[in-house]
Amino acid sequence: MILVTGGAGFIGANFILDWCADGDEPIVNLDKLTYAGNLGNLASLKDDPRHLFARADIGDRPRVESLLREHRPRAVLNFAAESHVDRSIHGPADFIATNLVGTFTLLDAVRGYWSTLDEPERSRFRFLHVSTDEVYGSLGPGDPPFSETTAYAPNSPYAASKAGSDHLIRAYHHTYGLPTLTTNCSNNYGPRQFPEKLIPLVIHNAVAGKPLPVYGDGLQIRDWLYVGDHCAAIRAVLERGRPGETYNVGGSAEQTNLEVVRTVCRILSDLKRGRDYAAQITFVKDRAGHDRRYAIDATKIRRELRWTPAETFESGLERTVRWYLDNEAWLDAVTSKEYQRWITLNYTAVPSTA
Ligand code: NAD
Ligand code: TYD
């Protein structure tokens, strides 16, 4: 069996659903259930013996150790994190606690467990850390995309906390020989993403007739990847990746934020034969320290592990918009009081004049 952390969140839940659709190996899902964790994401696995849920914090060492002893996983995949850049600007402490200290605690507990295994279990074991391209900082317009050898230059508290955790993973492989793997992926989108992130926020607001907030001039670039393609990349790295290596994952789908928002509006207009949603676009105050451009060079994972994305940006986005239109109950459930509090905190600024 494998142990997954953060499996009630966006990418972790998609990973578990895909995993269970594909085989019989059980999963232990260790998740703290923060505002971003939602067991409703895994409702279809309720009563399925392959999915064992444990509400726990990756920073709770005794609990992590006891789960490892009890279930004896052949691999641990760490998705658990505070994941939203804007929240890291308003309150960085939780990001340091979970992404840095929590990952350290998990990693060290896993090292202890791993050292008790017999060969060949020890050499077969894997610790896979799910990370981000944001650790590399921001690119200029003509710069080549991030590769695995690009120097780290994190700019937000979120990116810095993830960069720190990546360094710990590297050190645990180098120093102790723990068979680690790290993936650094670009922006994901798809079903079950919490509507504080750009794409689900825009879908949600568009349908509700609310403003579609675009930070600054909207010309910041992200390299978008459909979540199912990210999950397939993680499975490929888990099964075929070389211990100690890092793999960049991305869809080669660079888009400005304004292009993304306009494409969502066009798909919505086509699907709902509705109004001109683009008229709701509103330029608002820019994010502090906003990175201008991210882009991933995924040559290594494509060549070495024969991974390739199945969705284009257009096809993945259409699937995503359809999912949100078909799952209003899911959206209603996650847009709770805490969600309203966040929206008020982050979007109190008057529209910008940019
Ligand atoms: P998410 O915020 O949707 O989910 C995070 C999950 O982790 C939630 O279920 C939450 O309850 C859980 N969690 C938070 N703190 C925890 C703790 N201390 N102990 C146990 N569980 C805890 O995040 P996501 O978008 O699914 O991202 C998953 C991982 O992928 C993160 O590590 C993130 O850095 C990385 N990543 C995300 C993206 C993206 O575009 N979303 C891109 C690249 C990498
Ligand atoms: P986001 O989904 O928060 O991901 P990240 O910050 O990890 O890239 O944001 C994607 C881009 O969209 C980023 O450049 C910020 C921008 N953005 C907006 O313009 N308006 C918004 O309301 C949000 C949430 C993001």
Side-chain angles (χ1 to χ4, degrees), residues 100-172:
L100 194 51
V101 182
T103 299
F104 161 71
T105 306
L106 173 74
L107 185 62
D108 204 55
V110 168
R111 178 173 74 91
Y113 160 72
W114 169 75
S115 67
T116 67
L117 299 177
D118 298 329
E119 282 290 340
E121 278 184 327
R122 249 169 83 86
S123 50
R124 265 210 307 264
F125 184 82
R126 296 289 183 268
F127 182 98
L128 190 154
H129 179 60
V130 180
S131 193
T132 167
D133 62 353
E134 304 195 22
V135 297
Y136 298 119
S138 186
L139 292 168
D143 290 341
F146 304 128
S147 77
E148 288 79 2
T149 56
T150 302
Y152 274 34
N155 287 323
S156 69
Y158 164 67
S161 66
K162 292 295 290 188
S165 66
D166 291 8
H167 290 322
L168 286 168
I169 308 302
R170 178 191 156 86
Y172 269 58

Side-chain angles (χ1 to χ4, degrees), residues 9-11 31-32 34 37 57-58 79 83 98 131 158 162 188:
F10 164 50
I11 303 173
D31 195 299
K32 185 179 174 182
T34 66
D57 189 320
I58 57 169
F79 293 83
S83 69
T98 285
S131 193
Y158 164 67
K162 292 295 290 188
N188 282 214

Side-chain angles (χ1 to χ4, degrees), residues 84-85 134 187 196 198 201 213 215 222 257 287 290 347:
H84 188 34
V85 174
E134 304 195 22
N187 284 63
E196 65 186 354
L198 179 68
L201 181 110
Y215 296 163
R222 298 291 181 265
N257 292 337
R287 168 188 284 174
H290 199 170
Y347 299 97

Side-chain angles (χ1 to χ4, degrees), residues 4-14 29-39 41 53-60 64 78-84 94 97-99 102-103 129-134 158 161-162 165 183-189 192-194 196-197 223-225 227 230 234 249:
V4 158
T5 73
F10 164 50
I11 303 173
N14 277 284
N29 176 8
L30 181 170
D31 195 299
K32 185 179 174 182
L33 295 183
T34 66
Y35 78 93
N38 174 11
L39 275 182
N41 284 336
F53 180 72
R55 184 165 194 184
D57 189 320
I58 57 169
D60 180 348
V64 171
N78 185 31
F79 293 83
E82 290 292 337
S83 69
H84 188 34
D94 287 347
T98 285
N99 300 0
T103 299
H129 179 60
V130 180
S131 193
T132 167
D133 62 353
E134 304 195 22
Y158 164 67
S161 66
K162 292 295 290 188
S165 66
T183 54
N184 293 93
C185 189
S186 59
N187 284 63
N188 282 214
Y189 65 96
R192 302 176 182 82
Q193 187 169 31
F194 194 74
E196 65 186 354
K197 305 276 171 70
D223 182 352
W224 294 92
L225 184 69
V227 64
H230 185 192
I234 291 170
V249 186

Side-chain angles (χ1 to χ4, degrees), residues 83-87 132-134 156 158 186-188 193-202 205 211-224 255-258 260-261 282 284-287 290-294 342-343 346-347:
S83 69
H84 188 34
V85 174
D86 293 315
R87 284 188 191 251
T132 167
D133 62 353
E134 304 195 22
S156 69
Y158 164 67
S186 59
N187 284 63
N188 282 214
Q193 187 169 31
F194 194 74
E196 65 186 354
K197 305 276 171 70
L198 179 68
I199 289 177
L201 181 110
V202 164
N205 281 12
L212 312 181
V214 171
Y215 296 163
D217 62 6
L219 300 181
Q220 305 83 2
I221 292 171
R222 298 291 181 265
D223 182 352
W224 294 92
Q255 307 272 333
T256 67
N257 292 337
L258 209 45
V260 170
V261 175
T282 308
V284 300
K285 188 168 171 285
D286 206 354
R287 168 188 284 174
H290 199 170
D291 283 341
R292 199 67 185 163
R293 175 179 167 234
Y294 302 146
W342 165 251
I343 295 295
N346 198 45
Y347 299 97

